[in-house]
Amino acid sequence: VRKLASTPSKNINVNCHCGYSYVYICYLIILCFGLFLESGCTWCSVKGNDNRSLVDELKNNGLIKSRDVYEAMLKVDRGDFVDHNPYLDQPVPIGYGATISAPHMHAHACELLREKAKAGAKVLDVGSGSGILVAYLAEMVGPTGRVIGIEHIKELADQSRKNLEKSHKDKLESGQIEIVHGDGRQGYEIGGPYDAIHIGAAASEEVVPKLTSQLSKNGILLGPFEPSDDTKEADPYLGMFGHQEFRSYQRKEDGKISMNKYYDVRYVPLTSEEKQRGAAT
């Protein structure tokens, strides 16, 4: 920042080709980075030698707050779901343009879902990828609950079943866990209604009506969302910087939907199978 401030103005091209002030763009980038560090810097150094040490570090850094989430994450070994650096707090590519989210994001999601993902609850995970969050949620809802993961890349759906069979085969066989190959943007109406729906990739706001219609009363939809095209047109900076927000939508008793924003994030997009496969090549 000091270097930018001390640079003579004649060396700065004040107006970039896109029409925005260069200095203003740099300021926004620095501001966003600073807010990112301020809100999430505790996870930057989190790592473990095995699953228990990773989960303990997340707890010690305040990223796991409840006993329910702590015990669920202890029972699910991240090493079953990813081969490369499984115990570092970072996202890892798993193929086909998908990633397994960083452990701190799974901890946040489980904490935010905890009030709904209780014993006997029914939960849908959209874009279930590796299957790890399905396993966490299955531990939280217990044997009387049910968790369905829906994934539109068949190879990932098949691999997630193999991952789950390593330590959670009994839950697959009992039906407590089910992995479905399909377009999660449409939800999975046949398995609903759901106490909670989680989205594992950045979704368009256009999916909200379809998914919230599959919630039970007081159920919640949770995940990262991109602004609508109308919102981007109203505020070009949002589209320019790839703005995403982690949000929840709750279906009230009267059927009305309320929305709550948590923090800014950056996820891979929730898109069509064709686009995802094309982007991955």
Side-chain angles (χ1 to χ4, degrees):
V1 175
R2 287 194 297 271
K3 184 176 181 181
L4 279 174
S6 63
T7 303
S9 59
K10 65 181 181 180
N11 293 331
I12 298 178
N13 181 10
V14 175
N15 293 313
C16 67
H17 294 295
C18 59
Y20 296 99
S21 165
Y22 177 87
V23 174
Y24 185 56
I25 291 172
C26 289
Y27 168 76
L28 285 176
I29 293 172
I30 293 168
L31 176 63
C32 291
F33 185 66
L35 290 172
F36 169 74
L37 288 178
E38 182 180 358
S39 63
C41 63
T42 53
W43 63 266
C44 297
S45 61
V46 172
K47 61 181 179 179
N49 297 318
D50 54 24
N51 194 66
R52 173 171 285 276
S53 60
L54 169 63
V55 174
D56 284 341
E57 280 294 297
L58 292 171
K59 182 175 182 291
N60 293 339
N61 279 277
L63 297 163
I64 295 176
K65 304 179 185 301
S66 66
R67 185 169 185 82
D68 291 344
V69 173
Y70 176 68
E71 291 182 349
M73 293 188 73
L74 278 181
K75 292 176 182 177
V76 179
D77 194 324
R78 187 173 163 90
D80 285 348
F81 299 85
V82 61
D83 296 327
H84 181 65
N85 291 331
Y87 307 120
L88 294 182
D89 191 20
Q90 62 184 26
V92 179
I94 57 173
Y96 305 95
T99 63
I100 179 172
S101 295
H104 76 276
M105 288 307 301
H106 285 145
H108 279 307
C110 288
E111 289 289 354
L112 291 171
L113 291 169
R114 186 170 64 90
E115 290 301 315
K116 302 299 178 183
K118 292 183 174 181
K122 188 182 293 184
V123 183
L124 177 68
D125 185 27
V126 172
S128 51
S130 71
I132 190 170
L133 189 65
V134 170
Y136 290 145
L137 293 169
E139 294 294 344
M140 294 170 68
V141 304
T144 60
R146 190 179 184 207
V147 182
I148 300 172
I150 184 166
E151 172 57 55
H152 67 179
I153 302 294
K154 186 177 185 303
E155 293 87 342
L156 291 179
D158 292 343
Q159 183 59 51
S160 69
R161 291 189 193 95
K162 293 177 181 177
N163 295 340
L164 288 160
E165 285 175 352
K166 295 174 185 176
S167 302
H168 307 277
K169 188 175 182 180
D170 58 324
K171 295 180 178 64
L172 283 167
E173 291 176 343
S174 69
Q176 184 184 346
I177 289 176
E178 182 180 0
I179 300 296
V180 176
H181 173 226
D183 186 351
R185 295 173 301 173
Q186 303 303 314
Y188 189 61
E189 196 166 0
I190 193 172
Y194 302 99
D195 299 290
I197 299 176
H198 172 266
I199 303 177
S204 164
E205 292 174 348
E206 281 74 14
V207 306
V208 173
K210 184 70 173 179
L211 294 181
T212 54
S213 71
Q214 296 176 32
L215 291 172
S216 59
K217 289 182 179 179
N218 294 317
I220 65 168
L221 167 66
L222 178 75
F225 287 86
E226 295 182 334
S228 65
D229 291 339
D230 289 342
T231 303
K232 290 178 183 178
E233 288 180 9
D235 188 346
Y237 287 110
L238 294 181
M240 181 179 178
F241 288 102
H243 183 72
Q244 296 175 357
E245 294 174 334
F246 209 73
R247 305 177 189 170
S248 66
Y249 293 84
Q250 184 169 13
R251 185 179 183 85
K252 300 292 189 179
E253 289 278 353
D254 59 5
K256 293 182 179 179
I257 306 298
S258 65
M259 188 263 284
N260 189 26
K261 299 179 182 179
Y262 297 102
Y263 38 74
D264 291 352
V265 292
R266 191 63 188 161
Y267 275 69
V268 297
L270 184 70
T271 185
S272 67
E273 178 183 1
E274 182 181 6
K275 285 184 178 180
Q276 185 169 334
R277 287 185 182 274
T281 57

